[in-house]
Short mmCIF file of all heavy atoms in Angstrom, two decimals:
data_model
loop_
_atom_site.label_atom_id
_atom_site.label_comp_id
_atom_site.label_asym_id
_atom_site.label_seq_id
_atom_site.Cartn_x
_atom_site.Cartn_y
_atom_site.Cartn_z
N ALA A 1158 -12.00 2.41 20.12
CA ALA A 1158 -11.58 1.71 21.24
C ALA A 1158 -10.08 1.71 21.35
O ALA A 1158 -9.42 0.76 20.92
CB ALA A 1158 -12.21 0.30 21.22
N ASP A 1159 -9.54 2.82 21.84
CA ASP A 1159 -8.07 2.99 21.74
C ASP A 1159 -7.23 2.24 22.80
O ASP A 1159 -6.03 2.32 22.71
CB ASP A 1159 -7.76 4.57 21.74
CG ASP A 1159 -8.48 5.25 22.92
OD1 ASP A 1159 -8.93 4.56 23.89
OD2 ASP A 1159 -8.54 6.49 22.83
N SER A 1160 -7.84 1.45 23.57
CA SER A 1160 -7.17 0.60 24.45
C SER A 1160 -6.52 -0.60 23.72
O SER A 1160 -5.65 -1.27 24.22
CB SER A 1160 -7.98 0.13 25.62
OG SER A 1160 -8.37 1.17 26.48
N ILE A 1161 -7.10 -0.86 22.54
CA ILE A 1161 -6.67 -2.07 21.77
C ILE A 1161 -5.86 -1.49 20.58
O ILE A 1161 -6.36 -0.75 19.82
CB ILE A 1161 -7.81 -2.85 21.32
CG1 ILE A 1161 -8.58 -3.42 22.50
CG2 ILE A 1161 -7.37 -4.02 20.45
CD1 ILE A 1161 -9.84 -4.17 22.18
N LYS A 1162 -4.59 -1.86 20.46
CA LYS A 1162 -3.78 -1.48 19.40
C LYS A 1162 -3.59 -2.63 18.44
O LYS A 1162 -3.12 -3.66 18.89
CB LYS A 1162 -2.37 -0.97 19.82
CG LYS A 1162 -2.50 0.14 20.97
CD LYS A 1162 -3.09 1.38 20.40
CE LYS A 1162 -3.11 2.46 21.52
NZ LYS A 1162 -3.74 3.72 21.02
N LEU A 1163 -3.94 -2.48 17.15
CA LEU A 1163 -3.68 -3.46 16.17
C LEU A 1163 -2.40 -3.22 15.41
O LEU A 1163 -1.80 -2.12 15.42
CB LEU A 1163 -4.96 -3.40 15.22
CG LEU A 1163 -6.32 -3.78 15.95
CD1 LEU A 1163 -7.35 -3.82 14.93
CD2 LEU A 1163 -6.22 -5.07 16.70
N GLU A 1164 -2.07 -4.24 14.53
CA GLU A 1164 -0.77 -4.18 13.86
C GLU A 1164 -0.77 -3.02 12.84
O GLU A 1164 -1.72 -2.67 12.16
CB GLU A 1164 -0.52 -5.47 13.10
CG GLU A 1164 0.77 -5.57 12.44
CD GLU A 1164 0.96 -6.90 11.71
OE1 GLU A 1164 0.10 -7.79 11.96
OE2 GLU A 1164 1.94 -7.05 11.01
N GLY A 1165 0.45 -2.33 12.73
CA GLY A 1165 0.57 -1.28 11.75
C GLY A 1165 0.65 -1.72 10.40
O GLY A 1165 0.86 -2.91 10.08
N GLU A 1166 0.46 -0.86 9.41
CA GLU A 1166 0.44 -1.24 8.00
C GLU A 1166 0.84 -0.01 7.23
O GLU A 1166 0.93 1.11 7.71
CB GLU A 1166 -0.92 -1.71 7.54
CG GLU A 1166 -2.04 -0.80 7.87
CD GLU A 1166 -3.42 -1.45 7.69
OE1 GLU A 1166 -3.67 -2.54 8.20
OE2 GLU A 1166 -4.29 -0.84 7.02
N GLN A 1167 1.04 -0.18 5.87
CA GLN A 1167 1.43 0.88 4.98
C GLN A 1167 0.55 0.91 3.78
O GLN A 1167 0.00 -0.16 3.30
CB GLN A 1167 2.91 0.70 4.51
CG GLN A 1167 3.87 0.85 5.61
CD GLN A 1167 4.12 -0.42 6.42
OE1 GLN A 1167 4.13 -1.47 5.85
NE2 GLN A 1167 4.26 -0.28 7.72
N TYR A 1168 0.36 2.11 3.24
CA TYR A 1168 -0.46 2.26 2.03
C TYR A 1168 0.49 2.38 0.83
O TYR A 1168 1.48 3.02 0.86
CB TYR A 1168 -1.27 3.52 2.09
CG TYR A 1168 -2.56 3.47 3.01
CD1 TYR A 1168 -3.08 4.67 3.40
CD2 TYR A 1168 -3.05 2.30 3.46
CE1 TYR A 1168 -4.16 4.66 4.20
CE2 TYR A 1168 -4.16 2.24 4.26
CZ TYR A 1168 -4.73 3.51 4.69
OH TYR A 1168 -5.83 3.52 5.44
N ALA A 1169 0.02 1.80 -0.30
CA ALA A 1169 0.72 1.94 -1.55
C ALA A 1169 -0.36 1.90 -2.71
O ALA A 1169 -1.48 1.56 -2.46
CB ALA A 1169 1.78 0.83 -1.75
N VAL A 1170 0.19 2.22 -3.92
CA VAL A 1170 -0.70 2.12 -5.10
C VAL A 1170 -0.53 0.77 -5.71
O VAL A 1170 0.63 0.22 -5.81
CB VAL A 1170 -0.37 3.22 -6.14
CG1 VAL A 1170 -1.40 3.26 -7.21
CG2 VAL A 1170 -0.21 4.56 -5.45
N GLY A 1171 -1.65 0.08 -6.04
CA GLY A 1171 -1.60 -1.30 -6.59
C GLY A 1171 -1.76 -1.19 -8.11
O GLY A 1171 -2.71 -0.56 -8.68
N PHE A 1172 -0.88 -1.92 -8.88
CA PHE A 1172 -0.97 -2.00 -10.30
C PHE A 1172 -1.04 -3.47 -10.79
O PHE A 1172 -0.56 -4.41 -10.02
CB PHE A 1172 0.28 -1.41 -10.99
CG PHE A 1172 0.43 0.08 -10.65
CD1 PHE A 1172 1.20 0.47 -9.58
CD2 PHE A 1172 -0.21 1.03 -11.43
CE1 PHE A 1172 1.30 1.84 -9.31
CE2 PHE A 1172 -0.02 2.37 -11.17
CZ PHE A 1172 0.69 2.80 -10.06
N LYS A 1173 -1.47 -3.72 -11.98
CA LYS A 1173 -1.48 -5.05 -12.53
C LYS A 1173 -0.05 -5.59 -12.61
O LYS A 1173 0.85 -4.80 -12.79
CB LYS A 1173 -2.11 -5.02 -13.92
CG LYS A 1173 -2.38 -6.38 -14.48
CD LYS A 1173 -3.23 -6.24 -15.75
CE LYS A 1173 -3.57 -7.60 -16.40
NZ LYS A 1173 -4.39 -7.52 -17.55
N LYS A 1174 0.14 -6.91 -12.38
CA LYS A 1174 1.49 -7.44 -12.42
C LYS A 1174 2.18 -7.07 -13.72
O LYS A 1174 1.60 -7.29 -14.84
CB LYS A 1174 1.45 -8.98 -12.23
CG LYS A 1174 1.31 -9.34 -10.78
CD LYS A 1174 2.60 -9.17 -10.06
CE LYS A 1174 2.59 -9.74 -8.63
NZ LYS A 1174 3.81 -9.45 -7.94
N GLY A 1175 3.40 -6.58 -13.68
CA GLY A 1175 4.20 -6.32 -14.88
C GLY A 1175 3.88 -4.93 -15.47
O GLY A 1175 4.47 -4.59 -16.45
N SER A 1176 3.04 -4.12 -14.79
CA SER A 1176 2.78 -2.81 -15.33
C SER A 1176 3.99 -1.85 -15.29
O SER A 1176 4.68 -1.83 -14.36
CB SER A 1176 1.62 -2.16 -14.51
OG SER A 1176 1.43 -0.84 -14.93
N ASP A 1177 4.15 -1.14 -16.41
CA ASP A 1177 5.27 -0.13 -16.49
C ASP A 1177 4.94 1.11 -15.72
O ASP A 1177 5.77 2.02 -15.51
CB ASP A 1177 5.64 0.20 -17.90
CG ASP A 1177 4.56 0.77 -18.66
OD1 ASP A 1177 3.40 0.91 -18.09
OD2 ASP A 1177 4.76 1.14 -19.90
N LEU A 1178 3.67 1.24 -15.21
CA LEU A 1178 3.25 2.43 -14.50
C LEU A 1178 3.90 2.44 -13.03
O LEU A 1178 4.07 3.49 -12.50
CB LEU A 1178 1.79 2.48 -14.36
CG LEU A 1178 0.98 2.85 -15.55
CD1 LEU A 1178 -0.53 2.58 -15.37
CD2 LEU A 1178 1.30 4.32 -15.98
N THR A 1179 4.19 1.29 -12.52
CA THR A 1179 4.75 1.24 -11.06
C THR A 1179 6.00 2.00 -11.04
O THR A 1179 6.09 2.91 -10.15
CB THR A 1179 5.04 -0.21 -10.76
OG1 THR A 1179 3.89 -0.98 -11.03
CG2 THR A 1179 5.28 -0.34 -9.26
N ALA A 1180 6.92 1.86 -11.86
CA ALA A 1180 8.27 2.56 -11.82
C ALA A 1180 7.98 4.03 -12.06
O ALA A 1180 8.70 4.95 -11.44
CB ALA A 1180 9.23 1.98 -12.78
N LYS A 1181 7.14 4.36 -12.97
CA LYS A 1181 6.88 5.78 -13.33
C LYS A 1181 6.23 6.56 -12.16
O LYS A 1181 6.60 7.64 -11.80
CB LYS A 1181 5.95 5.89 -14.55
CG LYS A 1181 6.57 5.34 -15.80
CD LYS A 1181 5.52 5.41 -16.99
CE LYS A 1181 6.19 4.94 -18.26
NZ LYS A 1181 5.17 4.93 -19.45
N VAL A 1182 5.33 5.88 -11.45
CA VAL A 1182 4.66 6.51 -10.27
C VAL A 1182 5.70 6.63 -9.15
O VAL A 1182 5.72 7.62 -8.49
CB VAL A 1182 3.41 5.74 -9.84
CG1 VAL A 1182 2.96 6.18 -8.47
CG2 VAL A 1182 2.33 5.85 -10.83
N ASN A 1183 6.56 5.68 -8.98
CA ASN A 1183 7.58 5.70 -7.93
C ASN A 1183 8.44 6.94 -8.22
O ASN A 1183 8.84 7.64 -7.21
CB ASN A 1183 8.44 4.44 -7.95
CG ASN A 1183 7.68 3.29 -7.24
OD1 ASN A 1183 6.75 3.47 -6.49
ND2 ASN A 1183 8.24 2.12 -7.41
#
């Protein structure tokens, strides 16, 4: 139903809080 436009968003990878993987993946 393309007459209705909803808010935009972004995708990212989610890690456990404090994970050192976040910086490595970035």
Side-chain angles (χ1 to χ4, degrees):
D1159 47 19
S1160 293
I1161 300 176
K1162 306 295 184 185
L1163 300 180
E1164 185 178 351
E1166 56 192 47
Q1167 294 83 41
Y1168 287 163
V1170 189
F1172 299 94
K1173 191 172 182 177
K1174 279 289 188 181
S1176 173
D1177 61 357
L1178 286 170
T1179 311
K1181 293 178 180 179
V1182 167
N1183 280 344

